[in-house]
Amino acid sequence: MKKPKNNLDEMQEQKLLHIEQRSFWLAFWMLVAATLLQLLFCRDSQAILGECIVLAVVGVYLVVSCLKNGLWDRQLRPTPKTNFRISLLTGLAMGAVWGIVSWNNYHKLLGSVATAVFMLVFVGLACFAALNIASDVYKRKKKELDGSDDEA
Amino acid sequence: MAKNIAIKVARAEKSLTQKQLAELVGVSRQTINAIEKGEYNPTIRLCRSICRALGKTLDELFWEDEEDEETEE
């Protein structure tokens, strides 16, 4: 199919991409915030199913696209130490959220603490494993891209 | 980024307005304006089109001495 003509020149295209990028991240983090707020204040966890599916699809697309193009983060490096720190932060955040959710639903302190600790460990380990696998794939892809199309 | 006086001078030599130069190279007037003001760093493709339209070389219009570049940083 023929691609429709682009009415924008290169500078306008860059500006539009920049605006779209900011809009994307605004929508992404607002969706995360909305999901967390619903999780914290609504009893019905099925209400956030739609948001979770959207976030999962976007997340998978982002990760796969970045890895395919040999891209990692702008600031962070794919080292086990950094991966551990990020996993710990994610685990702590998820532990806190699910601890509060448990408290809201059952009002049992011990149960809430146990839920928080379980989620901290589970999410932290899952995140650490996922990050390590992703950084491994990234390193292999980067090596492949850096080595390809070499001068004859 | 420093202002690109060379383009402005070359454009004036050819008696072209920003709009006319923009039409010649196929971009908007705001892009030419941004390049002249040093607010936009054009791609090499656009640089070449501007050079062709103004009858100048890349060096004449876009070359910056190391000192200038260091000052910008």
Side-chain angles (χ1 to χ4, degrees):
Chain A
M1 207 175 80
K2 205 181 166 190
K3 221 177 163 185
K5 186 181 167 272
N6 190 349
N7 295 320
L8 306 178
D9 67 30
E10 58 175 58
M11 186 187 77
Q12 292 169 325
E13 182 70 36
Q14 271 190 32
K15 278 189 179 169
L16 182 63
L17 283 171
H18 197 65
I19 293 165
E20 285 172 345
Q21 180 216 15
R22 275 195 276 185
S23 309
F24 166 78
W25 284 114
L26 186 70
F28 182 88
W29 287 113
M30 281 175 75
L31 194 59
V32 171
T35 310
L36 287 177
L37 286 174
Q38 285 186 78
L39 199 60
L40 291 171
F41 299 112
C42 298
R43 297 262 165 133
D44 184 14
S45 58
Q46 284 201 336
I48 58 164
L49 191 67
E51 285 90 331
C52 287
I53 291 171
V54 172
L55 283 172
V57 169
V58 168
V60 167
Y61 174 76
L62 259 178
V63 170
V64 171
S65 304
C66 285
L67 291 179
K68 261 181 150 180
N69 290 287
L71 298 170
W72 196 252
D73 189 68
R74 286 190 183 86
Q75 275 93 33
L76 302 173
R77 292 193 172 277
T79 60
K81 199 176 161 186
T82 315
N83 290 348
F84 176 75
R85 282 180 184 166
I86 292 171
S87 307
L88 188 65
L89 281 175
T90 312
L92 282 170
M94 281 297 103
V97 167
W98 283 101
I100 295 168
V101 170
S102 174
W103 175 256
N104 281 346
N105 289 340
Y106 307 108
H107 295 285
K108 287 185 177 162
L109 185 65
L110 201 65
S112 302
V113 172
T115 306
V117 172
F118 174 77
M119 288 309 283
L120 188 158
V121 174
F122 178 74
V123 173
L125 284 177
C127 188
F128 188 63
L131 278 173
N132 277 322
I133 292 168
S135 58
D136 210 50
V137 173
Y138 157 77
K139 281 171 190 167
R140 266 187 280 142
K141 187 69 191 177
K142 193 171 181 294
K143 206 172 166 184
E144 182 193 316
L145 290 171
D146 285 347
S148 64
D149 295 333
D150 211 351
E151 285 174 59
Chain B
M1 226 160 72
K3 281 186 180 182
N4 194 324
I5 308 291
I7 292 184
K8 212 170 181 171
V9 172
R11 187 167 57 74
E13 281 171 6
K14 289 232 162 196
S15 305
L16 288 172
T17 62
Q18 283 187 342
K19 194 168 185 284
Q20 286 167 329
L21 176 60
E23 279 165 7
L24 278 173
V25 296
V27 295
S28 63
R29 196 198 70 87
Q30 56 174 302
T31 299
I32 297 294
N33 189 38
I35 295 168
E36 286 188 359
K37 282 161 81 178
E39 287 169 2
Y40 175 63
N41 193 4
T43 60
I44 189 72
R45 188 181 294 213
L46 180 53
C47 289
R48 283 200 311 239
S49 300
I50 293 171
C51 288
R52 265 188 227 113
L54 296 176
K56 298 278 181 187
T57 64
L58 276 169
D59 273 8
E60 286 170 323
L61 294 186
F62 294 100
W63 182 259
E64 283 179 0
D65 290 328
E66 271 180 41
E67 281 173 21
D68 295 338
E69 285 181 53
E70 277 165 19
T71 326
E72 285 162 36
E73 284 161 16

